């Protein structure tokens, strides 16, 4: 019965998400929703890596950038259709992510984090200095509007639907993954690597798998960003961008895919709400984040859990 309720709620949420543009006519807020969808894809993929296998990647923006540059170059120079470019963006990010994770498979903890920081900076510097390939600091401009069969994606509304399709694809496939035997292996590794290995779980293989899959979805988000923004530059894929993704994941709730989205929404909406207070914006956002995490260490997920437990306690008293 409980499972049927969850399925019904999920179908209603999906239906409402597709109906949202019918109620929101303002292009500015549609643009905010597009950013929420893009960052949700990025943070879902990062939560798989960080929240389920305990690998703190601070170079996630590099794989996001790999996807963006792949699509930008394929569309502008080789005139590829958008769908193959989107798929290749994810696959190339997955391939490079798997190479990085395989070469660092025996590295743990803070050392792995440092390696991802270095990789992110190396990627940014290569894109900034390899002018003939990446366009240097200027980047790639004039990225054409994507087209899927007869659907030409040009308006904010069109990009909202494209982003929504990619978002639900990411969320559903990752949800199925974490509920499978692979997901159970990821969680076992996160909780106790030694205990997981004694149960016959190949920790190294599952960590490589988690990292590579996360990079694939980051590549898809990068592809979406490239066509949505129509121009990309190395300055969009910095360490600050990776740190912002980590903050969103932590604020929402580590190790819970559904909690990732509220974390993204709170951060992006707070950024827009405090935009008039430009000089104090980061201070206020940081203050909100500290207050939430001090009071609820499990992020926004902790708030919902607290409310649920209070309701359960109240219902028991009523009985």
């Amino acid at each position: 019965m409980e499972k049927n309720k969850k399925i019904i709620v999920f179908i209603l949420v999906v239906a409402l998400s597709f109906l949202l543009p019918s109620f929101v006519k303002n292009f500015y807020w549609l643009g905010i929703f597009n950013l929420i969808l893009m960052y949700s894809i990025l943070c879902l993929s990062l939560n798989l890596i960080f929240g389920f296998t305990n690998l703190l990647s601070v170079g996630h923006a590099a794989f996001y950038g790999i996807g963006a540059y792949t699509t930008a170059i394929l569309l502008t120079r080789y005139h590829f259709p958008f769908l193959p470019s989107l798929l290749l963006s994810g696959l190339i990010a997955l391939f490079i992510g798997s190479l990085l994770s395989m070469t660092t498979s025996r590295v743990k903890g803070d050392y792995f984090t440092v390696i991802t920081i270095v990789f992110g900076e190396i990627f940014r510097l290569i894109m900034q200095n390899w002018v003939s390939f990446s366009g240097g600091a200027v980047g790639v401009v004039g990225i054409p509007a994507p087209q899927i069969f007869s659907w030409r994606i040009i308006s904010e509304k069109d990009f909202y639907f494209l982003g929504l399709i990619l978002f639900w694809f990411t969320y559903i496939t990752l949800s199925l993954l974490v509920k499978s035997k692979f997901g159970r292996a990821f969680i076992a590794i996160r909780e106790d690597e030694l205990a997981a290995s004694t149960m016959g779980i190949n920790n190294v293989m599952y960590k490589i798998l988690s990292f590579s899959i996360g990079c694939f979805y980051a590549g898809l988000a990068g592809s979406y960003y490239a066509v949505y923004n129509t121009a990309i530059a190395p300055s969009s894929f910095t360490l600050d961008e990776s740190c912002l993704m980590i903050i969103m994941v932590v604020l929402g709730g580590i190790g819970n895919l559904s909690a990732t989205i509220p974390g993204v929404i709170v951060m992006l909406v707070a950024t827009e709400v405090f935009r008039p207070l430009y000089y104090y914006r980061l201070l206020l956002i940081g203050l909100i984040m500290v207050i939430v995490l001090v009071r609820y260490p499990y992020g926004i997920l902790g708030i919902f859990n607290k409310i649920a437990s209070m309701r359960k306690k109240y219902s028991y008293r009523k009985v």
Side-chain angles (χ1 to χ4, degrees):
M1 191 69 177
E2 188 67 28
K3 189 177 180 182
N4 290 338
K5 283 183 181 179
K6 286 182 179 179
I7 292 170
I8 291 167
V9 170
F10 177 74
I11 292 169
L12 286 172
V13 170
V14 173
L16 285 172
S17 67
F18 277 96
L19 291 172
L20 185 66
S22 303
F23 305 102
V24 180
K25 303 293 185 181
N26 189 303
F27 288 157
Y28 171 77
W29 282 106
L30 273 177
I32 299 298
F33 288 134
N34 290 341
L35 286 178
I36 288 171
L37 290 171
M38 185 187 74
Y39 275 102
S40 293
I41 296 167
L42 284 168
C43 292
L44 284 168
S45 64
L46 182 58
N47 208 347
L48 177 71
I49 298 168
F50 180 33
F52 285 87
T53 46
N54 211 24
L55 294 170
L56 179 54
S57 173
V58 194
H60 208 56
F63 299 100
Y64 166 47
I66 288 167
Y69 271 98
T70 301
T71 291
I73 290 169
L74 287 175
L75 290 182
T76 55
R77 294 182 193 170
Y78 302 103
H79 308 291
F80 261 53
F82 173 65
L83 278 181
S85 301
L86 175 70
L87 181 60
L88 281 170
S89 296
L91 291 175
I92 291 172
L94 181 148
F95 175 70
I96 295 173
S98 62
L99 287 180
L100 178 65
S101 57
M102 281 190 285
T103 53
T104 59
S105 59
R106 300 295 175 182
V107 180
K108 296 181 180 179
D110 297 339
Y111 299 103
F112 178 81
T113 302
V114 170
I115 287 171
T116 59
I117 293 171
V118 171
F119 176 79
E121 284 302 294
I122 288 172
F123 169 77
R124 185 183 65 81
L125 290 171
I126 289 174
M127 292 300 104
Q128 191 168 301
N129 292 287
W130 193 359
V131 179
S132 61
F133 176 73
S134 64
V138 176
V140 182
V141 297
I143 300 168
Q147 185 167 338
I148 300 174
F149 303 114
S150 60
W151 180 32
R152 188 168 171 77
I153 303 162
I154 51 175
S155 67
E156 289 287 351
K157 188 176 178 180
D158 291 333
F159 277 106
Y160 173 80
F161 285 121
L162 174 63
L164 194 62
I165 291 166
L166 290 175
F167 165 75
W168 284 123
F169 168 74
T170 303
Y171 181 81
I172 291 168
T173 52
L174 285 180
S175 295
L176 292 172
L177 176 68
V178 298
K179 288 174 183 175
S180 68
K181 68 172 186 177
F182 298 102
R184 291 192 291 273
F186 294 156
I187 293 167
I189 292 167
R190 178 190 67 192
E191 297 301 324
D192 192 325
E193 284 193 40
L194 182 59
S197 62
T198 57
M199 289 190 295
I201 294 171
N202 188 332
N203 291 353
V204 172
M205 185 192 76
Y206 279 103
K207 282 184 176 182
I208 292 170
L209 185 65
S210 169
F211 191 84
S212 304
I213 292 170
C215 292
F216 170 78
Y217 290 103
L220 296 185
S223 177
Y224 175 78
Y225 171 75
V227 293
Y228 177 66
N229 205 50
T230 70
I232 58 168
S235 57
S236 300
F237 313 107
T238 60
L239 178 63
D240 291 347
E241 196 72 12
S242 295
C243 291
L244 177 63
M245 295 175 208
I246 293 170
I247 290 168
M248 288 173 173
V249 170
V250 173
L251 186 61
I254 301 169
N256 188 297
L257 295 178
S258 300
T260 306
I261 293 93
V264 172
I265 293 169
V266 167
M267 281 300 295
L268 288 179
V269 170
T271 303
E272 293 305 312
V273 168
F274 294 127
R275 191 173 289 278
L277 305 171
Y278 180 78
Y279 293 105
Y280 306 101
R281 183 176 58 175
L282 292 177
L283 176 65
L284 290 168
I285 292 169
L287 186 63
I288 290 170
M289 191 182 79
V290 169
I291 291 169
V292 170
L293 293 179
V294 167
R295 185 70 182 86
Y296 302 100
Y298 295 101
I300 294 170
L301 173 66
I303 298 174
F304 290 122
N305 289 342
K306 183 77 172 177
I307 293 168
S309 64
M310 287 174 68
R311 282 182 178 176
K312 192 179 286 186
K313 191 182 290 185
Y314 176 75
S315 65
Y316 286 150
R317 285 178 181 175
K318 200 171 180 181
V319 172

